[in-house]
Every structure is written in C-alpha cells, then in structure tokens.
C-alpha cells in the first residue's frame, strides 16, 4: 500500500522571513543544493508536460520529507528553483471554472490529461440553496459539484459558524477576482496540497492555493476508509483539511518560525484533521493515524516539532478537547489560539495556557484529562473519551510494571504521559494502599498531574485524580477490593521531559501525611454503598451496580459549575471539582 500524505509547502518568491532558520540550526547549503538536484527535474517536467510526467517512471512526486525540506530551506534555495516551482503549480490558463453556489469559491478543473476529472454529469446543486441536490445534468462534472458542496460545507462551518478568518486567494494577471480559488488535479500520493503564495499586501497573513486530488483509484485504505468506492468521503475530508491550512496561512505572520510562526507542524496538521471531524464527522479518517499514540502511549509527545512523531496522530487531542468542552466552546478553544497568535505571535505553550484559562482550567489539567480518558477506548469505551471511542485502538502498556513495596522511575516526554501498573492482591494484610509520585531533580515549571484508575475484574473502574504537586500521595482504604491500580502521570511542560518515580506501599494502618497527601479515598465493603471520603480535588466514578455518595465533606463539589449538596448521589461519568 502506498503511503498517503497531506502536506503544506511554502512557495512564494517574496516569502523572506516566514521560513527562517531557527537559532538552533545552521544553514546547510549542500543540503539545499541536494534538494534542488532531487526536485528541480520533477518541477521542470511538470511545467513542460503533466501528461508526459505521468508516463515517465524516472520522476516521482516528492516525498513528505522532501516537501518539508523545501519549506524549511526556501530562503536559501536558488531563484531558478523557486521560479520553476511557482510556475509548475500555477493554475493552468486553459482550465474550466465553476463557482460554488454557497460562497463563490472558484474551482478550476479539466476533463482532459493527467489532471482530468471524471466527466460524468448526472446532477448538480441548486443555485439559491447550495445544500439542495438537483437531479439532471447541469453542465458541470459531478466530481466538481461534489467538491463544491464539500468546500461550501467546510466554509460554512469554519468561517460562518466558528468565525475563523477567511483564507486569502492567490492573485495574478489571469485571475483577478477576490474569490478564493481551488484547483482539482493530480497530486500523487497526497490527499491534497495547500500552497501558500506570498504575503497579503499591507495585512497579516499569506495568500494560498488549495489543490484537491482528481482521482481516488487504488485508495482502498481499509474497510472503514475505502475512497475508491466512495470518493465523496475522500473529497469531503480533503476539502475541510486543506481549506483549514489556507485559513492558518491567512492569519500567519512572516517574522517567526520555520512553518507558520511558532506553531509546530504537528499542531497545524492536528487542527486541520480536527476540521475534517467537525465538518464531516461520519468519515473518521483520523482513526487510521491514532495507533502511533495508542500503540505506545508512553513514548508519544503531542504537538512536537520532531517530525519522527506521526504528524496526524496528534489530532486525537484537539478532537477530545472539542468533545470535552462541547460543540460551542470546543471549536472556540482552537479559534482562540489562532486569534491570539494573529494579534501577537507566541509559542504554542503560551497560546494553550491562555485558551485553557478562557475555558476555566489550566492546560495541564485539560491535557491530563485527555490522557486519563484516552484509556477508555475500544472495548473499554464508557463515554468519557470521544464519540468515536469504540472505533479507536486500546492502550498498550505493561501490566504489573510496579509491585507493592517497590519503586519505578520513568521519563515522561513533553506533553506526554507514562502509565504505571500495579497488580493488587486480595490479601487483607494489604488493605491500605499508598501511592506516591515524586519528581526527580529540580521541579519543572509545570508540575506533573497524577490519577489512579482502580480496576475490578468485572470491568468497573474508579478514577481518583487529577492531582498536581511536586510530591503526590494517594491513600486508598480497602484496596484489596480491586485487581489493578493503573497510575497515569502526565507532563504539561512543552519543551522539557521530566523523570518521575512511583512508589507503592501496602499496609493495614492508615497513615496520612496531610501535606503530601491531598487526596484520601475510603471504600467500604458491600452491602453498604461505596462511600468516598474526599480530602482533595477531583473524583470520577463509573459503576453499573451501586450508588455512591459524598460523606463528611465540609465544602461543596461543583460538577460543571453547579453546586452539589452534601450527601448527593454523584453522577456517573462526571468530573467534580472540590
């Protein structure tokens, strides 16, 4: 199976400082020359004859890494190379044009040659209602009609409803209108490509051109993602994804970073994938990328600049945020990030902190909630994660990695997590479990968060957390009632790994150092209802058999900002703030 990529590449001659080399890098002129040697023949052939290019086996579409290298090295590439590339990707003057009925997006296409679309014409969309399909030929190929519908749907959601900045169209002597422009054509193994095309004169942001692939032959990726037989799904998510890249460029500054301002490429791709899910939530293309996280959750760093991490797997985090915060607040969380950056370019961690505060929490808390909730996917799905959780893989981790009476130390990557698993015994001599998490070395700027998932053999779980401190201790009475304690520790630091040590001790005596033990949980044997004695921050519970109550609490708990009276039954699947 061929690799399927989406990629954004910067291509304008006047893009002087947007793609500057970072302080940590040195200019490798020989590497730049190598890029030109590898790619100049391709773009030259593409410029001369697209049809001939498709028949010539010696030329291949650039790989993802090659295109990223072009973007990173743009200021240091030759005038000849950049001019050839720009001319090669321009809209062919002989193209046909269709203006979408919803928002006037101009789609350029052809029915001949390598870039040809299927000329079948059996229906169209009504001029005064872009959502209404009208049977019968309308002089426009159905493929173009469907691309127009997907673009109008994406524009309506992102710009009209959420309120993102509209993308800026390319400008040339041949195409003078202010309408945004999209081309349909051959893009190799890519879903689509977004080409930034220079700064908007006198404003912040860059112009751009989106190219959507013209054929989906051979794109049977899986039973869930068969775009060969259902190309409309492929068209739809590609239009949403690439249009959001155009929006990203429309709000970008020129003077920072190697891609768009300070944003890592993984964040730009993750939020573009999020738009696919917001506009066309029935496709779920993102699922195919998520195993990069779920397959080894302790070795994945979200929103990393390191392109060794799957660029699209990070999409599961903004998807969770929108699910967690709701359809109204969730998308605004993402919009706030780009709006804040549009005002003053900032590093991503500052933007995430500001957006989280507007949502009423810290970024570390939200990130930790993601990691804890991400355990509940596949067969473990219980409503805590995302609406598509049952379709996602389940975590891979080593059960019993830490034993009672022992310690274990692990490194946690930036915006990452580590699971620690302790298999519990039914031995009543270890009725009380004390779990301690300590940071090794100097405390980081953002202290770690910890939660404990207590598991029964029946599948019922109790989540205790989330706790933040340099040293965290949780004491659990009657721990012998559980089969496993799964300890989740997360790192809310953007550019720093941390080392944490987990120690687990069992005894028959309840000894709590209140300074270092912000939460204690007392679990009573049936037939008495399972009672929780809270001396801390948050708790979440899911059970199918018994009720559970607050007792001996001197303050109120607040689910979603609402007061909960003492001795009120806690609602399943709800996080409570104490």
């Amino acid at each position: 199976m061929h690799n399927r990529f989406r990629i954004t590449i910067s291509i304008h001659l006047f893009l002087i400082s947007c793609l500057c080399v970072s302080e940590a890098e040195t200019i490798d002129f020989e590497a730049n020359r190598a890029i030109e040697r590898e790619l100049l023949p391709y773009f030259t052939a593409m410029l001369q004859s697209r049809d001939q290019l498709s028949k010539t086996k010696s030329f291949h579409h650039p790989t993802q890494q090659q295109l990223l290298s072009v973007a990173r090295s743009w200021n240091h590439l030759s005038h000849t190379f950049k001019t050839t590339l720009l001319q090669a990707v321009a809209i062919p003057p002989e193209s046909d044009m269709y203006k979408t009925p919803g928002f006037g997006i101009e789609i350029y296409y052809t029915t001949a040659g390598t870039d040809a679309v299927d000329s079948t014409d059996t229906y169209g969309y009504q001029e005064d209602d872009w959502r209404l399909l009208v049977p019968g030929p309308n002089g426009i190929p159905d493929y173009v009609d469907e691309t127009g519908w997907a673009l109008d749907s994406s524009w309506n959601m992102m710009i009209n409803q959420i309120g993102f900045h509209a993308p800026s169209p390319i400008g040339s002597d041949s195409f003078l209108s202010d309408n945004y422009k999209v081309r349909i054509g051959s893009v190799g193994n890519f879903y689509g490509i977004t080409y930034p095309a220079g700064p908007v004169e006198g404003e912040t942001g860059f112009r751009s051109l989106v190219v959507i692939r013209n054929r989906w032959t051979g794109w049977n990726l899986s039973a869930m993602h068969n775009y060969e037989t259902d190309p409309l799904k492929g068209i739809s998510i590609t239009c949403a994804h690439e249009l959001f890249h155009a929006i990203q460029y429309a709000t970008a500054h020129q003077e920072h970073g190697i891609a768009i301002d300070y944003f890592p490429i993984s964040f730009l791709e993750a939020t573009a994938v999020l738009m696919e899910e917001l506009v066309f939530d029935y496709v779920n293309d993102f699922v195919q990328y998520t195993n990069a996280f779920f397959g080894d959750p302790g070795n994945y760093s979200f929103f990393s600049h390191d392109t060794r991490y799957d660029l699209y797997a990070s999409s599961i985090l903004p998807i969770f945020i929108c699910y967690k915060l709701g359809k109204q607040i969730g998308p605004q969380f993402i919009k706030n990030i780009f709006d804040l950056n549009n005002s003053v370019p900032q590093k991503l961690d500052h933007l995430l902190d500001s957006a989280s505060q507007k949502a009423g929490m810290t970024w570390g808390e939200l990130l930790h909630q993601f990691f804890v909730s991400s355990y509940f996917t596949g067969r473990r799905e219980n409503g805590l994660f995302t609406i598509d959780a049952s379709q996602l893989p389940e975590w891979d981790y080593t059960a019993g990695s830490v034993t009672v009476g022992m310690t274990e130390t692990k490194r946690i990557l930036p915006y990452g997590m580590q699971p620690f698993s302790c298999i519990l015994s039914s031995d009543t001599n270890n009725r009380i479990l004390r779990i301690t998490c300590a940071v090794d070395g100097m405390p980081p700027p953002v202290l770690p968060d910890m939660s404990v998932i207590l598991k029964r053999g029946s599948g019922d779980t109790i989540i205790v957390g989330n706790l933040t401190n340099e040293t965290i201790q949780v004491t659990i009475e009657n721990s012998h009632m559980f089969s496993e304690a799964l300890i989740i520790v997360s790192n809310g630091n953007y550019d720093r790994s941390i080392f944490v040590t987990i120690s687990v001790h069992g005894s028959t005596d309840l000894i709590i150092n209140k300074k270092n033990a912000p939460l204690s949980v007392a679990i009573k044997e049936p037939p008495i209802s399972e009672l929780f004695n809270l001396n801390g921050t948050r708790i979440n519970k899911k059970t199918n058999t018994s009720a559970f109550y607050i007792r001996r609490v001197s303050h109120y708990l607040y689910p979603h900002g609402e007061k909960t009276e003492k001795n009120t039954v806690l609602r399943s699947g709800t996080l409570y703030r104490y």
Side-chain angles (χ1 to χ4, degrees):
M1 179 184 297
H2 296 291
N3 291 328
R4 311 299 185 186
F5 298 120
R6 302 184 184 88
I7 189 64
T8 305
I9 169 177
S10 301
I11 64 162
H12 199 271
L13 285 173
F14 304 106
L15 194 55
I16 302 300
S17 56
C18 177
L19 303 172
C20 61
V21 179
S22 68
E23 295 179 0
E25 297 175 301
T26 58
I27 300 172
D28 189 339
F29 291 102
E30 180 54 37
N32 297 339
R33 300 290 83 80
I35 293 170
E36 295 190 10
R37 287 195 300 269
E38 292 171 357
L39 298 185
L40 185 59
Y42 170 82
F43 287 116
T44 301
M46 181 179 175
L47 179 61
Q48 293 173 349
S49 173
R50 293 176 186 273
D51 288 338
Q52 186 62 34
L53 180 64
S54 67
K55 300 174 184 177
T56 306
K57 294 183 178 180
S58 60
F59 294 115
H60 302 278
H61 283 273
T63 65
Q64 182 185 40
Q65 191 57 49
Q66 286 174 322
L67 291 177
L68 287 171
S69 298
V70 170
R72 290 173 66 96
S73 307
W74 183 262
N75 294 338
H76 312 291
L77 299 174
S78 70
H79 177 84
T80 298
F81 178 83
K82 291 186 283 190
T83 300
T84 303
L85 189 157
L86 285 168
Q87 293 173 346
V89 301
I91 297 175
E94 68 275 9
S95 299
D96 295 316
M97 192 271 282
Y98 167 68
K99 185 182 293 185
T100 66
F103 300 100
I105 302 167
E106 296 177 6
I107 301 176
Y108 293 85
Y109 68 96
T110 181
T111 56
T114 302
D115 292 327
V117 300
D118 187 332
S119 60
T120 301
D121 178 17
T122 61
Y123 59 85
Y125 286 87
Q126 192 162 302
E127 288 293 327
D128 58 357
D129 186 352
W130 59 270
R131 298 177 178 86
L132 184 61
L133 188 146
V134 180
N138 67 340
I140 304 297
D142 294 341
Y143 193 97
V144 179
D145 282 317
E146 293 295 3
T147 302
W149 174 84
L151 287 168
D152 277 344
S153 299
S154 301
W155 189 288
N156 183 59
M157 170 68 79
M158 299 178 201
I159 298 161
N160 282 20
Q161 296 183 28
I162 300 175
F164 283 108
H165 191 291
S168 301
I170 59 170
S172 70
D173 295 337
S174 302
F175 307 98
L176 299 176
S177 79
D178 291 330
N179 296 48
Y180 192 73
K181 297 166 181 64
V182 172
R183 187 169 70 82
I184 301 175
S186 175
V187 290
N189 285 337
F190 300 103
Y191 287 66
I193 303 175
T194 301
Y195 297 98
V200 179
E201 296 76 9
E203 299 179 19
T204 298
F206 289 81
R207 300 182 183 278
S208 61
L209 172 70
V210 165
V211 183
I212 305 296
R213 74 173 299 105
N214 60 327
R215 297 172 185 169
W216 297 87
T217 304
W219 280 63
N220 182 4
L221 307 184
S222 67
M224 182 186 295
H225 308 110
N226 187 346
Y227 302 136
E228 182 172 21
T229 59
D230 195 353
L232 177 55
K233 288 184 176 180
I235 294 170
S236 297
I237 59 167
T238 303
C239 286
H241 186 105
E242 301 303 333
L243 188 63
F244 194 65
H245 279 322
I247 290 171
Q248 291 169 346
Y249 275 95
T251 61
H253 295 257
Q254 344 181 10
E255 66 269 22
H256 297 284
I258 59 172
I260 292 181
D261 300 341
Y262 292 112
F263 289 116
I265 295 171
S266 58
F267 180 80
L268 300 175
E269 293 295 350
T271 50
V273 174
L274 167 66
M275 295 304 142
E276 303 173 19
E277 189 67 6
L278 292 179
V279 185
F280 305 106
D281 60 3
Y282 52 87
V283 180
N284 294 332
D285 185 78
F286 77 95
V287 171
Q288 64 180 307
Y289 308 114
T290 56
N291 197 57
F293 166 67
F294 287 103
D296 193 2
N299 282 305
Y300 190 85
S301 180
F302 279 87
F303 304 152
S304 173
H305 283 282
D306 190 341
T307 56
R308 289 176 299 177
Y309 298 102
D310 190 292
L311 295 178
Y312 307 114
S314 284
S315 62
I316 192 64
L317 178 48
I319 288 172
F320 168 79
I321 290 171
C322 285
Y323 176 78
K324 176 69 181 176
L325 299 182
K327 292 184 178 180
Q328 298 299 320
I329 299 177
Q332 289 303 313
F333 181 96
I334 304 300
K335 179 177 179 293
N336 286 338
I337 291 172
F338 286 99
D339 286 349
L340 289 166
N341 185 76
N342 190 33
S343 299
V344 180
Q346 303 170 56
K347 291 185 177 180
L348 181 59
D349 56 337
H350 298 153
L351 296 169
L352 290 169
D353 286 341
S354 297
S356 299
Q357 288 172 11
K358 286 189 175 184
M361 63 187 71
T362 68
W363 170 244
E365 288 175 327
L366 187 55
L367 180 65
H368 186 72
Q369 287 183 27
F370 163 79
F371 285 126
V372 175
S373 300
S374 68
Y375 174 78
F376 298 97
T377 59
R379 293 165 297 177
R380 307 175 188 139
E381 189 276 328
N382 67 354
L384 285 181
F385 196 46
T386 68
I387 197 169
D388 302 309
S390 62
Q391 300 180 32
L392 296 173
E394 296 177 4
W395 270 15
D396 247 348
Y397 70 96
T398 302
S401 61
V402 59
T403 57
V404 175
M406 303 295 290
T407 65
E408 183 178 22
T409 300
K410 289 185 179 181
R411 178 193 183 197
I412 308 181
L413 296 170
Y415 287 178
M417 57 83 73
Q418 281 289 359
F420 299 77
S421 168
C422 180
I423 302 301
L424 302 178
S425 170
S426 59
D427 182 2
T428 56
N429 289 326
N430 285 319
R431 294 174 63 92
I432 298 171
L433 192 71
R434 288 194 297 277
I435 302 172
T436 303
C437 171
V439 179
D440 293 4
M442 291 293 293
V446 180
L447 294 171
D449 288 77
M450 183 181 85
S451 289
V452 182
I453 299 178
L454 298 172
K455 300 168 60 178
R456 282 196 179 89
S458 63
D460 286 348
T461 58
I462 297 172
I463 304 175
V464 181
N466 62 314
L467 309 170
T468 303
N469 207 332
E470 183 180 345
T471 301
I472 305 166
Q473 189 176 61
V474 175
T475 302
I476 304 169
E477 297 180 56
N478 296 310
S479 60
H480 66 285
M481 295 168 52
F482 298 93
S483 59
E484 180 184 2
L486 179 60
I487 305 149
I488 300 168
V489 186
S490 62
N491 178 11
N493 293 277
Y494 178 51
D495 52 6
R496 176 176 173 179
S497 293
I498 62 174
F499 288 84
V500 299
T501 297
I502 292 291
S503 59
V504 181
H505 298 281
S507 70
T508 57
D509 299 319
L510 179 58
I511 303 173
I512 301 176
N513 179 341
K514 291 187 181 296
K515 182 179 178 181
N516 293 326
L519 178 62
S520 66
V521 179
I523 303 169
K524 302 301 181 184
E525 295 276 12
I528 302 173
S529 297
E530 296 165 2
L531 302 178
F532 290 73
N533 177 16
L534 302 186
N535 179 27
T537 52
R538 292 186 177 180
I539 196 160
N540 180 25
K541 161 74 177 175
K542 178 178 176 62
T543 180
N544 298 322
T545 57
S546 57
F548 48 106
Y549 302 88
I550 304 167
R551 70 180 178 96
R552 295 198 299 274
V553 175
S554 58
H555 301 284
Y556 295 111
L557 291 113
Y558 297 88
H560 308 299
E562 302 170 0
K563 276 191 176 182
T564 300
E565 299 296 334
K566 297 179 186 179
N567 300 320
T568 299
V569 177
L570 301 183
R571 294 201 298 269
S572 175
T574 301
L575 284 173
Y576 290 82
R577 182 186 294 276
Y578 173 62

